[in-house]
Amino acid sequence: MRETANQFVKVGWDVTVVNIARESWELDSGIDLSLLEQVDPRVDIVELPLTREDLETDIRLYSEDRALNPNGWVAKLRRRQTKTFPEPNFGEWRSDLEQAVLKIHREKPADLLLASCVPYVNLAAAWKLWEEEQVPYAVDFRDGWSIDVIDGVEAFARDSEEGRWEKKVLDQAVSLWVVNDPIAEHYRARYPEFADRVHVVRNGYDADSSPGRVHKPDRESGLVFGYLGTVNFSIPHLETVLNAWRAAREKEPLLANARFELRGHIGNGAHRGANRHAEVLKEAEADGVFFGGPAAKAEVASIYASWDAMVLILIGGRYVTSGKVYEYMATGLPIVSAHAVEHDASNVLRGHPLWTGAVGIDEEGLTESFIKAAYMAVETTDEEHAEAMAHADQFTREALMSVAVKNLVEELAK
């Protein structure tokens, strides 16, 4: 979204971004203020005082009803939230978002609104501006709404309230952006009359996140494998990866003194940080596993530069790509895939010279992948390292989003 705003500015547009307050993001998932430094200063940012009531952790602010019957309070909250828009947690934001975009438009007439989801209640604001002021809009779904990308099934029926909202909004949209081809296929099949307006706009990576240099591992001090990303996979998934890591260290002398470092947020909301995932990682410290917590965007390149191989742990299957796969490729380091074989990340990685391949969430297969990556790390030539980095060049976020914005502007002009 940051790169989208920047690219619109680069082609001469006056851009206003509507967001929620930083304090609200802090409660939800945490924020990385270093990312704001990369927003073009010409972008106007409007922050709305919207927040999720259920994420409040100060019990002194709880009502008596919430304190005495927390589950019942949450159930009532969900019913109330979905009365105005069919989305738990965010539905009640509808009126505030609608009024915000109307106010901005009346002060500075808009030529286009781009609704980035989630939350999907943003669609209501796009629809309101279209309904009252006929301002064209486009939708950036990323993972889509009517497709459950994790389980690969329909998320809701066409005749549900969500289904009616999705069809109504997409019928009038200038364009729909989704993150990969399987999701695009879902929407083209679901809305054939809209098929030519569905476009794949991949996540890509920021060029400054790449270490951008030839890597020399230090075998004596021990190889370092790394994972950077949100720890949002299941406990069994994590345990399988850690068991495979332990087995690889026991089996392969090259890995005997190796480390496995994980960086990123663990969970979100009330479950962030203190949960079973954190306990499992703590228990694995005897196997050379270390959790270092979240990393600021400005640190990413140096973190990658300190690692010898990457471990790509992902949930979902063919409908999930992830943003990290592009960044991992750009390191030019060996990549161990700990995800389903039929995963869109496999499509992206195909052709990467230092990929160990997809073996699924299988302990024996992952054990061999760790060993294979270790040998890749110490045997890779400078030329192979450069070839691996070059494979990712096509996926720089600036290159992908400049094309997407250019195409959207052209569609708007039709």
Side-chain angles (χ1 to χ4, degrees), residues 308-358:
D308 303 304
M310 308 295 297
V311 184
L312 184 64
I313 312 174
L314 298 173
I315 58 176
R318 67 184 297 262
Y319 290 100
V320 176
T321 305
S322 100
K324 283 297 171 188
V325 63
Y326 306 104
E327 206 169 86
Y328 280 28
M329 287 194 302
T331 66
L333 299 173
I335 299 174
V336 174
S337 274
H339 54 70
V341 175
E342 294 297 320
H343 198 287
D344 193 58
S346 299
N347 298 329
V348 176
L349 284 163
R350 200 162 287 119
H352 188 281
L354 298 180
W355 180 41
T356 61

Side-chain angles (χ1 to χ4, degrees), residues 17-21 46-50 85 87 89-105 113 115-129:
V17 171
V18 180
N19 201 348
I20 58 174
V46 175
E47 292 187 352
L48 305 180
L50 297 171
F85 187 85
E87 184 177 23
N89 300 320
F90 309 108
E92 279 191 313
W93 292 3
R94 177 181 174 179
S95 178
D96 291 279
L97 290 166
E98 290 176 341
Q99 294 310 308
V101 297
L102 284 169
K103 182 174 184 291
I104 290 167
H105 172 69
L113 185 149
S116 292
C117 307
V118 294
Y120 299 104
V121 70
N122 288 343
L123 299 174
W127 182 256
K128 185 72 170 180
L129 200 56

Side-chain angles (χ1 to χ4, degrees), residues 141-333:
F141 262 163
R142 300 289 82 200
D143 284 342
W145 192 14
S146 56
I147 180 73
D148 180 334
V149 297
I150 306 302
D151 295 326
V153 297
E154 183 183 60
F156 48 76
R158 295 167 188 255
D159 60 355
S160 65
E161 191 177 358
E162 294 95 329
R164 291 192 293 272
W165 260 104
E166 183 179 76
K167 185 178 189 313
K168 176 175 75 171
V169 171
L170 292 184
D171 273 348
Q172 299 298 328
V174 173
S175 180
L176 171 65
W177 290 355
V178 294
V179 80
N180 61 35
D181 291 297
I183 298 174
E185 290 165 11
H186 162 80
Y187 276 102
R188 288 169 185 148
R190 191 177 180 92
Y191 307 110
E193 69 284 2
F194 186 70
D196 63 338
R197 286 178 276 165
V198 179
H199 303 288
V200 175
V201 179
R202 291 189 171 273
N203 280 326
Y205 72 99
D206 295 311
D208 60 6
S209 295
S210 169
R213 63 175 181 78
V214 173
H215 184 76
K216 298 293 183 186
D218 185 346
R219 298 175 67 162
E220 296 305 314
S221 61
L223 298 179
V224 184
F225 283 62
Y227 168 84
L228 175 61
T230 304
V231 179
N232 61 353
F233 27 85
S234 69
I235 292 294
H237 191 158
L238 176 60
E239 290 177 332
T240 299
V241 174
L242 295 179
N243 289 341
W245 169 255
R246 183 187 308 113
R249 289 179 92 228
E250 293 171 352
K251 182 177 181 179
E252 174 52 56
L254 185 57
L255 287 169
N257 62 343
R259 293 164 53 91
F260 181 10
E261 298 181 357
L262 297 94
R263 299 292 305 270
H265 290 283
I266 299 185
N268 56 34
H271 300 289
R272 184 155 49 99
N275 51 35
R276 180 57 185 154
H277 291 80
E279 293 171 2
V280 169
L281 291 170
K282 183 72 175 175
E283 292 163 3
E285 286 185 0
D287 302 315
V289 175
F290 299 93
F291 176 67
K297 183 68 165 59
E299 298 178 84
V300 171
S302 61
I303 289 171
Y304 287 153
S306 69
W307 291 345
D308 303 304
M310 308 295 297
V311 184
L312 184 64
I313 312 174
L314 298 173
I315 58 176
R318 67 184 297 262
Y319 290 100
V320 176
T321 305
S322 100
K324 283 297 171 188
V325 63
Y326 306 104
E327 206 169 86
Y328 280 28
M329 287 194 302
T331 66
L333 299 173

Side-chain angles (χ1 to χ4, degrees), residues 364-380:
E364 286 187 18
L366 288 171
T367 299
E368 294 306 314
S369 291
F370 276 121
I371 294 172
K372 187 176 180 181
Y375 277 95
M376 284 179 172
V378 298
E379 295 174 353
T380 299

Side-chain angles (χ1 to χ4, degrees), residues 356-396:
T356 61
V359 296
I361 316 303
D362 174 76
E363 189 174 320
E364 286 187 18
L366 288 171
T367 299
E368 294 306 314
S369 291
F370 276 121
I371 294 172
K372 187 176 180 181
Y375 277 95
M376 284 179 172
V378 298
E379 295 174 353
T380 299
T381 65
D382 292 352
E383 290 74 24
E384 288 170 326
H385 179 80
E387 182 186 348
M389 294 184 71
H391 181 76
D393 287 348
Q394 60 188 307
F395 298 114
T396 64

